[in-house]
Amino acid sequence: MEEIDLPVKPPKAQPHSKQAVVDGDWNVLEQLEIGEMPFRFRLSFAPLLEMIKKKAESNNVVESSVGQLVMSRLKDIPELWQPIEDRSILEKHQDVIELLMLMVVPPVLRRNQLIKVSAPFEMSPIYMTEALQEHVQAKNFKYVINHKPGYTFCSMVISACSFILNTYYGTNLNVDSPLSISISNPHTGMERHYKTRLETEYMELKKLKPLKPLSQDQINELLSNVYDLDLWLEYLPPENFEFRGFTIGTLIDITEEEALSRLKFALLERDAVVQEEQVERLESLVRNFLNIPNLQMGVTAIDYPKEQRVAHRYKIRYDFLADEQENLLADVNAGSIYEKACKYQEVVLVEDLDKVKNKTPIEEGLLKKGIRSIIVAPLLNKKEQVIGLLEIGSSKAFELHSFIELKFRELTSLFCMAVERSRDEIDNQIEAIIREQYTAIHPSVEWKFIETSYNLLEKRETEGKNAVAPSIAFRDVHPLYAQADIVSSSDKRNQAIQADLSDNLQLLLNILNKAIALARYPLLNQYRSSAEQNLSGILKDFNSNDESRIVSWLKDEIHPVLEDIRARYPELQRNISYYFDYIDADLGIVYKERKKYEDSVSLINSTIAHYLEEQQEAAQKIVPHYFERYKTDGVEYDIYVGQSLLKNGSFKPMHLRNLRLWQVIDMCEVTRLVHHLQAELPVPLTTAQLIFTYSNPLSIRFRMDEKQFDVDGAYNVRYEILKKRIDKALIEGTDERLTQAGKVAIVYLQEKDRQEYLEYASYLRTEGYITEEIEDLKIGKLQGVQGLRALRFTVKQ
């Protein structure tokens, strides 16, 4: 029999449930709108009565006697042989209906099985067992339909269509019942999970019109598009069929399987055993899995033996004695149930803690916490080392026993993985913080720090703790510097600030004018005058000092007054509330245009940074080199490469040439990236690209106070001075900036550098990176620097 997997996502534009969670009487579930079924269906006992009639005529004495008894009761009730439109007939002949239900649901199943009988595709029952009736009568229970809106409707339609295919088109399809329900008991906090099984033995199908022929290809098309209800209803028109009879629905308890499945998924989540809310959720799932109300669960990270203890905690401390015991494995707790679980790496079961001899502070503490029976399991990592403990406890002696222990063991491997993963994540976070906040060690030079640290360890063994850490320096390295700087960034930032302040002051003036018209409030007149002067001033001649002055004035003086008049004058409440909603809640001022500008800068920076990171990772594979990137109004970076930076292998001149060409190509690509970003930028911004080539190798040293590398020696400092000053350089004899939007400028010192980069430019022109024109320019005199030259070319977009 072929099975159909029903879609996880229901079809669009289909009716859906009013709600997934219902508090109160089970009967409310009957009112859930699953959607109006497109097929006709009628309640009928005829299929059952035909079966009983055959039994009455059979040769089996028992079946014949029972069948004849039922048929005799039906002799004077012909309406039960017909489709039932008026449901009051059921009440009128309730005793006969009960007799008929004996043939459907045997008495032995009625006390414990949750069974209902309904008309085809109806939620409300015409009969239910005693066990189900108890749920119906229960109050304050919470019922959860475990499906997305529309899922049940979709599934029921496909079930009906599959029944048609099986009946008239020779298929043999089996569609699992779609409905699953969770029932929460507010008194115990427990949750039970059920899936439905639908039996259609007493349902029959009537043709109302001639069958629409379907080819095997069309049937296959239906089976390949289970979610497409329009297609199914086109091939199987609902008006052609009528369902008669009744169906039998059974709720099957799947609590244990469901709880275990949910535990697995919950433990896969990040921070599953770190966040208190998550641990409480796990505790609830464990209660459901073991079916013990008020069960307590604890989990903690721990290192055993002591030699394996790390220098930090793992934020996983949810054991029963977390508030009482600093260290569960302290010497004073030797011989405790926790130590035994760790020492022997075995699950420890204690049915009654009160009867434990030679109690340690652990057992005494657990009893004070109300724990009488407990199971403790060690959690092991892949190396079979103890990394934590999992425990469950009950306030009742012997409520936890060997049978519970067997089921509990199923959980330990799941918690082992969760605790190990969380510990690893915390270790990684700590390592990342160390790198970020304290060392900033680039991977290319990490080997040198490890080597130096090991040498320091050896020195301390001979010289003691006073041994001084040697400095870390790399000599004869070649620098490569480049930047992509946002053009006129200061002007555009000031324009954005000016626009926001103007907007802010204009809003304020509107409010002040209305307030002054309402009542005599001399201070408002003064503030209006100040606002007008400030607005006029920033529109005529804005400078950076205006921003801090006006912002302080608004926050310290104006906003308290606005709050006061909002409370005094109801007529102004709407205007003032709009004002406070319009300004930024954190900054306390209008933050519209500046946000657009800063968002644009951020997008440009992140795009360039991401590209450069990808490229430098690829370049590292050719020759390891030190790379450091900075974000300003744009992006700039330093590269240092040379033999002293290599732990293994050799550095050759071709490596330097390769990186220099790679750098020029990168700056061309960055120019293109920024150009293609223009449509996404809230504020149009462009970048100007600059490369500084420095022929002489230099030395860099790690500065312990600044936790970063810097050039070393007075002579080498000239490189840093040049690098900082060329950014604002002008072409000699003009007011034109060297750096221009859409172009790449290369500043050089020596003729051999010029020849080298002209070769690169020729290659770039051939490959279509740049236009034909290559400018060879003299740079105007800078402070303490003269004689610099530059090549400049335009990048093709």
Side-chain angles (χ1 to χ4, degrees), residues 667-687:
M667 287 296 99
C668 292
E669 293 291 359
V670 164
T671 308
R672 291 174 171 178
L673 281 173
V674 175
H675 176 76
H676 294 146
L677 270 181
Q678 294 304 305
E680 302 177 39
L681 299 176
V683 176
L685 297 173
T686 56
T687 57

Side-chain angles (χ1 to χ4, degrees), residues 23-54:
D23 292 312
D25 198 313
W26 169 284
N27 291 318
V28 180
L29 287 176
E30 299 171 12
Q31 302 168 16
L32 286 176
E33 181 186 340
I34 63 171
E36 183 178 350
M37 288 292 290
F39 295 96
R40 292 182 59 186
F41 59 90
R42 303 171 75 183
L43 174 65
S44 173
F45 292 109
L48 172 63
L49 299 182
E50 291 292 343
M51 183 271 288
I52 295 174
K53 183 178 178 181
K54 289 181 181 179

Side-chain angles (χ1 to χ4, degrees), residues 457-494:
L457 282 176
E458 289 191 325
K459 285 180 68 177
R460 284 178 176 174
E461 290 179 1
T462 57
E463 301 176 17
K465 294 182 179 180
N466 294 326
V468 178
S471 61
I472 295 177
F474 297 95
R475 302 189 182 282
D476 296 326
V477 295
H478 299 270
L480 291 87
Y481 171 78
Q483 71 172 34
D485 187 49
I486 293 175
V487 177
S488 303
S489 57
S490 297
D491 292 340
K492 297 201 173 181
R493 180 186 289 104
N494 285 339

Side-chain angles (χ1 to χ4, degrees), residues 16 252 396-397 501 604 791:
H16 59 274
I252 302 171
K396 299 177 183 178
L501 288 177
I604 288 176
L791 298 174

Side-chain angles (χ1 to χ4, degrees), residues 255-431:
T255 300
E256 187 173 318
E257 298 93 325
E258 182 69 16
L260 187 59
S261 175
R262 293 189 181 193
L263 266 170
K264 290 178 180 178
F265 279 105
L267 287 168
L268 287 175
E269 294 179 8
R270 187 174 183 179
D271 295 336
V273 292
V274 176
Q275 299 292 337
E276 185 174 0
E277 298 81 8
Q278 296 281 66
V279 175
E280 289 174 354
R281 179 184 169 207
L282 293 173
E283 182 181 60
S284 176
L285 292 172
V286 172
R287 285 174 183 163
N288 289 333
F289 176 69
L290 298 176
N291 196 23
I292 303 177
N294 302 317
L295 181 77
Q296 297 181 58
M297 185 206 78
V299 62
T300 188
I302 206 166
D303 295 302
Y304 183 88
K306 296 177 182 179
E307 291 74 21
Q308 295 179 5
R309 189 175 303 168
V310 296
H312 60 83
R313 298 183 181 181
Y314 282 103
K315 299 195 300 184
I316 309 172
R317 187 72 203 275
Y318 299 104
D319 54 271
F320 298 151
L321 300 179
D323 296 331
E324 287 77 16
Q325 290 278 342
E326 177 70 20
N327 180 6
L328 296 178
L329 300 180
D331 293 339
V332 68
N333 297 326
S336 70
I337 56 173
Y338 293 144
E339 187 191 46
K340 290 176 182 177
C342 294
K343 182 176 181 179
Y344 300 108
Q345 296 191 4
E346 284 292 340
V347 175
V348 175
L349 164 65
V350 181
E351 291 93 342
D352 188 355
L353 278 169
D354 196 38
K355 295 183 178 180
V356 172
K357 297 180 180 179
N358 301 320
K359 296 181 181 68
T360 71
I362 294 295
E363 289 76 27
E364 296 286 358
L366 290 170
L367 286 168
K368 288 180 181 179
K369 298 282 285 187
I371 305 293
R372 284 293 299 273
S373 55
I374 188 172
I375 302 177
V376 182
L379 302 177
L380 310 179
N381 62 13
K382 297 181 183 70
K383 298 178 181 179
E384 297 296 314
Q385 298 170 330
V386 177
I387 58 171
L389 291 171
L390 175 67
E391 59 186 346
I392 55 174
S394 170
S395 59
K396 299 177 183 178
F398 290 93
E399 185 165 36
L400 304 183
H401 44 72
S402 297
F403 290 102
I404 298 296
E405 180 192 340
L406 290 175
K407 293 181 67 177
F408 175 72
R409 286 178 179 269
E410 296 180 44
L411 307 178
T412 55
S413 61
L414 301 176
F415 278 88
C416 284
M417 290 186 290
V419 170
E420 183 173 14
R421 186 180 66 251
S422 293
R423 285 172 59 119
D424 289 343
E425 287 177 357
I426 293 170
D427 285 340
N428 293 338
Q429 290 171 12
I430 291 173
E431 185 176 349

Side-chain angles (χ1 to χ4, degrees), residues 41-43 84-92 119 122 124 126:
F41 59 90
R42 303 171 75 183
L43 174 65
I84 298 172
E85 307 293 346
D86 183 2
R87 297 295 173 92
S88 65
I89 294 175
L90 301 178
E91 297 181 10
K92 181 179 178 181
E122 273 194 3
S124 56
I126 62 171

Side-chain angles (χ1 to χ4, degrees), residues 444 619-626 640-642 645-646 648 651 659:
S444 63
Q620 293 285 351
K621 297 176 182 178
I622 305 299
V623 58
H625 55 274
Y626 182 81
Y640 297 104
V641 62
L645 283 162
L646 302 181
N648 301 303
F651 174 77
L659 278 176

